[in-house]
Structure formats: C-alpha cells, structure tokens
Amino acid sequence: MTDERAVEELLKEVEQRAKVCIACHLAQTRTHVVFGEGNPRSPLVLVGEGPGEQEDLTGRPFVGRAGALLDRALREAGMGRQHVYICNIIKCRAFTIENGRARNRPPTADEIQACTPWLDAQLTIIRPLVIVCLGGPAASVIIHKNFRIMQERGQWFTSRWAPAAIAALHPAYILRQAGPAFDRAYALLVEDLKAARAKVIELKQRQQAQQPLVPPDEEQLSLF
Ligand code: SF4
C-alpha cells in the first residue's frame, strides 16, 4: 500500500465517523455534514468557517457564491481545487431564523470546541506544510485565540498543525463589500494565496535540501 492510499483511507475512515456525529446541537438541523474535500496529499490546506446553505445542501465545502470567488482567487494565484485540500472549522451549518428565513451565523465557542476533534484528525492525517485560514474564526482556532483578522491577515505564524499558517479575508466577507472596497479586499485574498503558494515552494525546497536521498514527488513539484 502506498503512503498516498494510506492517507486517503485514513481520511475516509474519519469522514465516515464524522458523517454521523451528534456531538453538538447542529446535528439536529443539518442536511449534510460537510467534512472537506480536495487533494489529501497537498501541502496546502485551506480552512474556512463553516458550511452555508449550498454547502449544507450538497455536502461540499465552498460551492456557493463565496466558493466561486475562492475558485477565481485560486486561479489568479496559479492554483485550482485539485491542488489543495479545503475544509472548515465546523462541519455542520450554523444558522438562525430571521423573518422566516435561515441566515448563516458565526459558530459559537461551544460548537467550535465540539467540532475541533474532526479538524484535528483531518490535519493530523494530512500534515500540511502551510494552512490558509479563511476569516477570523478559522484563524482563532488554527493560529491563536485572539486573532484580529484586519490587523494580522497576511502575516506568517506557526500552528500546532503546520509549520506555517497565514490568514486571509473570507470570500463571503469580500462579497459583502462593494466597489473599490471589494476590489481591495479581493486583491488581498489573491495576494495571501500567492504568498501561501510561495511559502509551500520555499518549505519543500528546504525539506528536499535536508533530505537529498528522498526522491522528489513529481506531481507536487509540477505545481509547488
Ligand atoms: S458541527 Fe461538528 S461537532 Fe457539531 S454535530 Fe456537526 S460534526 Fe458534530
């Protein structure tokens, strides 16, 4: 069995258990557990806040308007979904009912705490070199508790799950901006994704310099 198959099988096993999770009350209102998807062998993992309406309906992360904006930003940074792994800090949709309509809301501290073991299991299996936190809540889990997204985005940190972590603006936040504010926020997202890609390349080169006898992974080298 290759290492690749081992990673995928381990991740699948965790996903099967997460799909029946009832560790918090969000289990009562979800349609699907949105575990995460992408390349589990990627050195680059993107972590968002939680599923929205479209994600809850499809079971896939970042498939709504925010997902389309993320895809565009990834393309501008020279990447595609197939090159990264994407997940969220909570796996079920958090929402409130306002005027008869379900509106997304940030996850509570209790919900995040209940769900973090799934994120921990994912990241422990994938062992990324670089994590991009999309938005402040993800950065509060991955980087440090009192993370301030506007002040600290674009800076490099270490994380218990990766040697390098950076936070970027969440695509859903960018979509709420208009005109020049939208353009500025979107440009920052692209800039941070480009920085993340460059950091992966830098760390892989450092790893390979330290381990000259390990054959390079052709697939990964083609992008990073
Ligand atoms: S949000 Fe996380 S902890 Fe809560 S039920 Fe869903 S998978 Fe379980």
Side-chain angles (χ1 to χ4, degrees):
M1 183 189 292
T2 66
D3 282 352
E4 183 167 351
R5 198 169 297 159
V7 167
E8 285 169 351
E9 284 178 8
L10 283 169
L11 213 51
K12 194 44 97 185
E13 199 181 293
V14 176
E15 181 174 2
Q16 292 309 324
R17 286 191 282 123
K19 277 184 172 167
V20 292
C21 175
I22 51 168
C24 84
H25 66 113
L26 296 179
Q28 294 160 20
T29 50
R30 73 178 175 227
T31 310
H32 289 105
V33 169
V34 182
F35 184 70
E37 67 180 29
N39 178 359
R41 295 274 291 173
S42 175
L44 180 55
V45 172
L46 276 50
V47 182
E49 185 175 310
E53 183 183 18
Q54 291 306 312
E55 290 77 13
D56 176 62
L57 290 173
T58 59
R60 299 183 54 216
F62 283 94
V63 289
R65 287 176 64 228
L69 190 70
L70 178 62
D71 287 344
R72 187 179 139 197
L74 278 170
R75 269 198 307 277
E76 281 201 43
M79 298 181 279
R81 291 256 181 153
Q82 71 275 24
H83 300 123
V84 299
Y85 187 88
I86 303 182
C87 61
N88 289 301
I89 54 170
I90 62 162
K91 313 300 185 196
C92 303
R93 186 186 183 198
F95 65 93
T96 51
I97 302 292
E98 287 175 23
N99 301 322
R101 289 196 59 195
R103 297 185 79 89
N104 296 338
R105 62 161 174 80
T108 65
D110 285 350
E111 290 159 358
I112 292 172
Q113 192 180 13
C115 212
T116 298
W118 297 122
L119 180 70
D120 179 41
Q122 277 175 308
L123 296 176
T124 302
I125 292 167
I126 297 171
R127 295 195 302 138
L129 286 175
V130 173
I131 298 176
V132 176
C133 306
L134 295 169
S140 301
V141 174
I142 301 287
I143 298 176
H144 71 80
K145 201 158 59 96
N146 301 311
F147 198 89
R148 295 162 304 158
I149 187 72
M150 289 321 219
Q151 287 85 5
E152 296 180 281
R153 64 133 286 280
Q155 298 176 29
W156 284 106
F157 297 85
T158 55
S159 162
R160 57 183 279 208
W161 291 292
I166 192 171
L169 298 177
H170 195 289
Y173 166 82
I174 299 171
L175 284 172
R176 291 195 293 273
Q177 313 305 305
F182 173 90
D183 294 341
R184 274 195 303 275
Y186 176 72
L188 288 176
L189 174 61
V190 173
E191 184 184 306
D192 293 338
L193 290 173
K194 283 181 177 171
R197 183 180 173 191
K199 179 65 82 175
V200 170
I201 292 168
E202 176 197 322
L203 293 178
K204 281 184 81 84
Q205 284 173 345
R206 210 181 294 169
Q207 268 184 348
Q208 281 157 12
Q210 287 164 357
Q211 299 170 316
L213 295 179
V214 175
D217 181 326
E218 296 298 335
E219 187 188 351
Q220 301 295 353
L221 277 180
S222 64
L223 180 65
F224 294 112

